[in-house]
């Protein structure tokens, strides 16, 4: 991000941008919220993942950019992405930067060894998982990660779920909808059978597994190549990318894992200049290209994502990588995030960690119920009207 | 240190007078294989992770998760270079920040502890017991809990996200005051202070010229204790700082690890950074070994 | 010997010299604690969708936060867990610290310098880093213990599983703390004049007997103070389980009381509940420390009265 900011700084001597890197995830948001509450200490501009926007908005942390002319940017982005930064209303709280349509990565060499091809449906995925694990009990097609709520949210999104909803002046919480149950039961069943691992991703153990071939697939997102390059560089050339398996091959759909936007904080003394910068950052072709190259992201700006041609370094010989990504992005269904995403995500981690550890599929459904009740009760306790 | 022993504690095993001093001397001084083995086992246990971090620092990214733990590789220099290049030497700035926080913080904090401990040990005044008790209760409060309200208070004056926000809260060390009181009681004879007073010396002068030098060895311990505490502190700078140019090493390295799902954790940088961050403290320990005398209970007698 | 200090000065001067400490304490300890207590009686309620400005209101919550905390099964579980953790960790840590210190002080030990420095070394490593290092060492593919067990044909147990994870965390705390406690006790031992032992040695007492029957009773006060500080630190355990948490399914976000405080304050954005839980933890720690000192008061300091 420094490098991209440097490009701007060179050509805009009157508006200089300094980049501060924080802990990714919850911590940065919490610090911002604390700073907002305390009245000082917040930066001018903030990188905000889509699911955090309602939380930030409800804390009065973000400037409404519609007053800065943000409405003109609507045409640069897909409806789904635009919806995420406007929360369905007229106000624009952030400018989308990148999106994270989910994809599937797998070890082509091992698939070839067992005569398998990339699964097109989840049934095929389950079958492939069984085949691989039975042939070699040390190998797993994937793992169920209790540490990555965004991953599970994306999968639920693909199945048609939307965990929150707005109904007039009330919120609704629908985490235990049939769609999400379907996803939870699917993975619970596979963990129960033992053909899918039950340990979290992004750990030294998981990195080791990627390297030594005991994890032969990864349900991930379009930014996956960067992570694989960083943690499993030795296995370069052995992986292939494919669209995420579908529930119904005739009705493709997809979900998002991650993806962020850029917002102007309420404590900024230069909202106009800040808006200039973030418009440039997320829509100017040169900036977006730099972002994609340097930060390994998939731009939300529709013109720029169409312009990507060279596949990422980790998949250098997969020429159709970006067309898979583009199609995956088109298939993303809508999803509404509520004001207490953090609570839901933290409940997910606690409840599903227990379920995953027990390897008992009944506990997966129980975990989902816990997640629903915790999230709903939290909203009620805070004084929201919940339908 | 004053002796804390009383005659009752010593079992009377021998009649007075020295009889047969040379007897069984060799047996009593024979090296104990068992004792030494236990000590060495403890040493190995304590050195194991250090050994790991040394060998892991010599590996590059792809080797880290694919080779046997304790087999070293040759990439230590490369890793150090990569760490230095990360955002133009930010890591070394973190080192300097940490040295600043710990060095200045411990120095000032030790002075304040010494002063306060001296006053509590050598003066009689109403409310003294209460003041001491309240100060000691500070030990009971965990840093995690204090950090957020401290942030709010500093935000009112606009001092958050500055060097002051990390320095100021760590200037008060109840444990340091407690230790200083013990040292002052043990090392500074009251008659010397009285004598100086009769000669007309001011109280601060007495403290600076007479008491302080006498307390010096104990003060080194207090300084080192607070130095390590600040050096290793994570929670306070984590809450207070947003500008990563001001981070100490603990917060900086933690940030490298937790970059979110979409970016790979920079394991090699973190491990190399961890190794480099331990080195200064180890050197400090080795150099100042003889000052590490932490005698908690001696003061119980004199308090 | 008359002093020339008047009565007024006798009070004013000490307090004047104590001013830096008092001011700093008031600003950075007393004020935050008071603020926390005040916050524990408050809460925030939302109106409507909660998305506009001014949609949140600060309210007085009476004892709601406290009732919620005390009746929360997660909180109670975390308290029990941390007591169990303490029961496992403290005897082992103090026992080892005592044994090491005695061995260092014994005339019959060799490699004293090396052992003393090595065992003390972990004190230099911050908890965040040591948890990271041990996290790697717990990997079955990396751990030397697993290697040895596999070589002998035993399947290495998963130390991060829910049954054993408490030992995994305790080990990290043990590793980091035993050296410091050892030095505390060792210092006390070194302060004992050696003629105390002469009489015993002349009489033929072995080093072990001397250690057990002379040294240990003498350093009991040090041992007790170390125990007290260890209890306080143990009840506040936070950094080690938090760093290990992402690696395993066995540690929840409210595994220890302080983790619950952190989660409520930072992840759930509910600083008021966190404040109430903090106050409860502080009171509990205080009560336990008071009790502990009461019980051992006579043993430790009785002989000096």
């Amino acid at each position: 991000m420094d490098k991209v900011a440097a490009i701007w700084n060179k050509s805009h001597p009157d508006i200089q941008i300094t980049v501060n890197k924080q802990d990714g995830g919850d911590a940065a948001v919490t610090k911002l919220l604390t700073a907002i509450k305390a009245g000082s200490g917040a930066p001018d501009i903030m990188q905000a993942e889509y699911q955090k926007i309602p939380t930030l908005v409800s804390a009065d942390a973000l400037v409404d950019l519609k007053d800065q002319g943000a409405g003109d940017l609507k045409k640069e982005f897909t409806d789904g992405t635009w919806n995420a930064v406007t929360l369905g209303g007229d106000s624009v709280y952030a400018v989308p930067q990148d999106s994270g349509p989910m994809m599937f990565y797998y070890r082509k060499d091992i698939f070839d060894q067992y005569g398998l091809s990339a699964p097109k449906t989840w049934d095929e995925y389950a079958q492939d998982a069984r085949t691989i694990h039975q042939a070699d009990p040390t190998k797993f097609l994937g793992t169920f990660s209790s540490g990555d709520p965004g991953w599970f949210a994306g999968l639920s999104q693909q199945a048609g779920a939307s965990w929150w909803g707005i109904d007039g002046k009330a919120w609704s919480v629908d985490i235990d909808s049939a769609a999400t149950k379907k996803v939870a039961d699917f993975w619970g069943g596979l963990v129960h059978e033992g053909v899918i691992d039950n340990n979290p991703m992004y750990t030294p153990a998981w990195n080791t597994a990627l390297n030594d071939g005991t994890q032969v697939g990864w349900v991930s997102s379009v930014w996956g190549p960067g992570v694989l390059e960083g943690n499993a560089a030795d296995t370069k050339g052995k992986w292939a990318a494919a669209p995420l398996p579908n529930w119904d091959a005739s009705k493709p759909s997809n979900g998002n894992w991650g993806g962020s936007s850029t917002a102007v904080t309420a404590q900024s003394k230069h909202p106009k200049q800040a808006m200039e910068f973030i418009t440039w950052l997320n829509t100017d072709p040169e900036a977006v290209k730099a972002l994609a190259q340097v930060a390994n992201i998939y731009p939300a700006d529709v013109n720029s994502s169409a312009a990507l041609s060279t596949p990422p370094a980790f998949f250098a010989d997969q020429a159709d990588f970006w067309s898979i990504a583009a199609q995956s992005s088109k298939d993303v269904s809508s999803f509404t995030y509520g004001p207490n995403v953090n609570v839901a995500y933290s409940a997910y981690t606690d409840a599903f960690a227990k379920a995953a550890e027990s390897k008992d599929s009944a506990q997966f459904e129980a975990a989902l119920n816990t997640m629903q009740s915790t999230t709903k009760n939290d909203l009620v306790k805070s004084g929201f009207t919940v339908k | 240190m004053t002796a804390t022993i009383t005659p009752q504690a010593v079992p009377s095993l021998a009649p007075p007078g020295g009889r047969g001093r040379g007897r069984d001397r060799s047996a009593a001084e024979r090296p104990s294989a068992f004792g030494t083995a236990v000590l060495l086992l403890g040493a190995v246990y304590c050195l194991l992770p250090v050994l790991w971090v040394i060998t892991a620092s010599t590996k590059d990214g792809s080797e880290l998760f694919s080779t046997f733990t304790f087999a070293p590789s040759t990439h230590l220099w490369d890793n150090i270079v990569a760490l230095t290049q990360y955002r133009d030497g930010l890591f070394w700035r973190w080192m300097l920040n940490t040295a600043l926080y710990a060095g200045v913080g411990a120095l000032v904090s030790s002075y304040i502890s010494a002063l306060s401990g001296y006053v509590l040990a050598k003066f009689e005044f109403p409310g003294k017991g209460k003041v001491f008790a309240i100060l000691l209760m500070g030990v009971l409060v965990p840093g995690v809990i204090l950090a957020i309200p401290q942030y709010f208070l500093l935000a009112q004056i606009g001092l958050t996200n500055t060097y002051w926000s990390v320095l100021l809260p760590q200037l008060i060390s109840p444990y340091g005051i407690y230790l200083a009181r013990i040292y002052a009681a043990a090392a500074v004879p009251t008659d010397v202070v009285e004598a100086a007073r009769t000669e007309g010396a001011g109280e601060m002068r007495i403290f600076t010229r007479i008491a302080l030098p006498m307390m010096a060895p104990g003060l080194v311990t207090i300084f080192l204790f607070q130095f390590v505490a600040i050096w290793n502190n994570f929670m306070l700078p984590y809450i207070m700082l947003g500008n990563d140019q001001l981070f100490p090493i603990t917060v900086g390295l933690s940030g490298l690890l937790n970059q979110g799902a979409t970016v790979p954790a920079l394991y090699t940088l973190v491990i190399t950074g961890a190794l480099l961050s331990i080195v200064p403290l180890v050197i400090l320990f080795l150099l100042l070994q003889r000052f590490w005398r932490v005698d908690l209970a001696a003061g119980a007698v004199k308090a | 010997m008359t002093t020339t200090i008047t009565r007024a000065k006798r009070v004013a001067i000490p307090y004047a010299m104590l001013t830096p400490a008092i001011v700093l304490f008031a600003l950075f300890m007393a004020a935050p604690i008071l603020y926390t207590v005040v916050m524990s009686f408050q809460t925030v309620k939302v109106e409507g969708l909660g998305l506009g400005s001014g949609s949140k209101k600060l309210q007085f919550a009476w004892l709601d936060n406290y009732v919620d905390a005390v009746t929360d099964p997660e909180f109670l579980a975390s308290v029990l867990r941390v007591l169990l953790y303490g029961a496992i960790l403290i005897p082992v840590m103090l026992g080892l610290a005592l044994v090491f210190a005695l061995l260092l002080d014994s005339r019959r030990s060799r490699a004293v310098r090396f052992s003393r420095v090595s065992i003390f070394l972990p004190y230099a490593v911050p908890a965040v880093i040591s948890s990271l290092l041990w996290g790697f060492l717990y990997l079955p593919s990396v751990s030397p213990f697993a290697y040895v067990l596999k070589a002998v044909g035993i399947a290495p147990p998963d130390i991060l599983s829910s049954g054993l994870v408490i030992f995994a965390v305790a080990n990290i705390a043990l590793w980091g703390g035993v050296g410091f406690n050892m030095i505390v006790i060792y210092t006390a031992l070194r302060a004992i004049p050696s003629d105390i032992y002469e009489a015993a040695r002349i009489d033929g007492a072995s080093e072990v007997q001397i250690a057990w029957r002379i040294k240990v009773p003498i350093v009991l006060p040090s041992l007790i103070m170390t125990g007290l500080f260890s209890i306080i630190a143990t009840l506040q355990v936070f950094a080690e389980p938090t760093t290990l948490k992402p690696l395993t399914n066995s540690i929840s976000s409210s595994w220890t009381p302080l983790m619950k405080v952190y989660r409520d304050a930072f992840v759930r954005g509910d600083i008021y509940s966190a404040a109430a839980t903090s106050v409860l933890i502080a009171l509990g720690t205080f009560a336990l420390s008071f009790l502990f000192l009461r019980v051992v008061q006579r043993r430790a300091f009785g002989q000096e009265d």
Side-chain angles (χ1 to χ4, degrees), chain A residues 20-24 27 31 202, chain B residues 238 241-244 255 258-259 261:
Chain A
N20 283 330
K21 224 152 175 269
Q22 317 266 330
D23 257 351
K31 276 206 242 187
Y202 296 98
Chain B
Y238 181 66
L241 299 175
N243 181 356
D244 56 4
N258 296 315
Q259 305 215 56

Side-chain angles (χ1 to χ4, degrees), chain C residues 139-295:
Chain C
L139 290 180
S141 51
V142 165
S143 164
F145 310 104
Y147 186 72
V148 165
L149 285 175
K150 265 188 263 189
V152 185
I154 312 176
D158 181 7
I159 192 149
L160 293 177
S161 64
S162 47
L164 295 178
V165 75
I166 198 170
F167 294 102
V169 179
N171 173 53
I172 302 179
L174 173 71
W175 182 80
V178 71
F180 180 78
N181 291 322
M182 173 191 77
I183 293 289
V184 171
I185 301 172
Y186 180 64
T187 311
L189 284 173
R190 288 263 100 171
I192 305 174
S194 56
D195 21 310
I196 301 274
Y197 312 136
E198 274 309 318
R201 287 205 183 106
I202 290 166
D203 211 44
S206 70
E207 283 301 310
V208 176
Q209 285 175 314
I210 292 179
W212 222 225
R213 300 181 62 194
I214 305 180
K215 293 185 182 178
V216 171
I218 292 177
V219 298
L220 210 54
S222 271
L223 211 54
I224 286 168
M225 290 310 282
T226 311
L228 179 65
F229 287 119
S230 297
I231 291 179
I232 295 177
T234 304
L235 292 178
Q236 300 173 359
V237 63
F238 171 77
E240 293 88 348
T242 303
T243 315
L244 277 189
K245 178 174 181 302
L247 300 182
T248 170
N249 282 324
S250 322
I251 299 180
S252 71
S253 59
S254 56
W255 202 75
T256 71
L258 227 55
M259 285 174 75
K260 179 173 188 298
V261 169
Y262 177 82
R263 180 198 69 186
D264 287 345
F266 286 94
V267 176
R268 295 204 176 173
D270 185 2
I271 194 169
Y272 308 98
S273 300
T277 318
S278 312
V279 172
L280 287 176
I281 296 175
L283 288 176
T285 311
F286 184 63
L288 214 64
S289 311
F290 193 67
L291 212 69
F292 178 75
L293 276 182
R294 253 288 135 92
V295 166

Side-chain angles (χ1 to χ4, degrees), chain A residues 324-348:
Chain A
I324 299 180
Q327 188 56 43
S328 302
S329 179
K330 278 207 196 67
D331 292 337
V332 172
S333 22
S334 69
F335 191 98
T336 308
Y337 286 102
N340 64 344
V341 173
N342 278 357
V343 176
Y345 277 15
S346 151
Y348 167 83

Side-chain angles (χ1 to χ4, degrees), chain A residues 95-218:
Chain A
V95 178
Q97 179 168 97
D98 64 312
S99 66
M102 294 186 77
M103 288 171 64
F104 177 59
Y105 303 106
Y106 62 101
R107 284 283 294 267
K108 190 152 194 321
D109 56 335
I110 296 185
F111 265 52
D112 288 342
Q113 186 189 344
Y114 295 115
L116 302 170
S117 58
K120 295 212 175 34
T121 66
W122 285 113
D123 278 340
E124 278 177 42
Y125 179 91
Q127 207 37 53
D128 290 348
R130 291 181 192 115
T131 312
I132 291 177
H133 189 70
Q134 269 149 22
D136 181 348
T138 63
K139 289 190 170 36
F140 295 99
L141 183 53
T143 182
F144 178 84
S145 179
S146 65
D148 292 282
W151 171 84
F152 187 70
L155 290 174
S156 307
Q157 183 178 7
Q158 184 202 32
S162 178
W163 286 352
W164 289 268
I166 299 180
D167 188 352
K169 279 255 168 223
W171 286 91
S172 61
V173 179
D174 201 16
I175 294 178
D176 56 355
S177 62
T180 319
K181 273 210 188 78
K182 182 164 69 172
V183 178
D185 286 340
F186 175 78
W187 289 96
L190 289 179
V191 170
H192 192 121
E193 280 180 50
V195 298
I196 289 286
D197 196 12
N198 65 341
N199 285 310
M201 303 174 185
Y202 296 98
T203 65
W206 182 71
N207 287 333
T208 311
L210 287 177
N211 273 290
D212 64 18
T214 50
Q215 282 282 316
V216 305
W218 187 25

Side-chain angles (χ1 to χ4, degrees), chain B residues 189-254:
Chain B
T190 319
D191 16 347
V192 177
V193 175
E194 289 288 345
R197 279 199 192 124
T198 7
E199 294 189 23
E203 292 296 340
M204 279 309 288
R205 196 132 175 212
I206 298 179
F207 171 68
T208 325
R209 291 294 176 82
I210 301 179
L212 214 48
M214 283 177 160
M215 291 166 66
L219 289 185
V220 176
T221 305
I222 295 178
F223 172 83
L224 286 177
F225 176 79
Q226 189 67 352
F227 187 89
V228 172
I230 300 179
W231 185 281
N232 288 345
N233 193 351
F234 173 74
M235 207 59 208
L236 179 72
Y238 181 66
I239 308 270
M240 288 290 178
L241 299 175
N243 181 356
D244 56 4
Q245 298 289 325
L246 303 177
F247 282 178
I249 298 177
T250 44
V251 183
L253 289 182
S254 159

Side-chain angles (χ1 to χ4, degrees), chain B residues 6-54:
Chain B
T6 59
Q8 301 130 269
V10 181
S12 47
L13 287 176
R19 176 173 29 110
R21 289 196 80 189
R23 190 170 55 137
D24 288 323
R25 191 141 182 179
S26 55
E29 290 196 7
R30 185 175 27 113
S32 161
F34 179 69
T36 312
V38 170
L39 279 180
L40 286 177
L41 213 64
V44 166
Y45 166 70
C46 288
L47 288 179
L48 198 67
V50 180
L51 190 64
W52 180 83
V53 82
I54 295 175

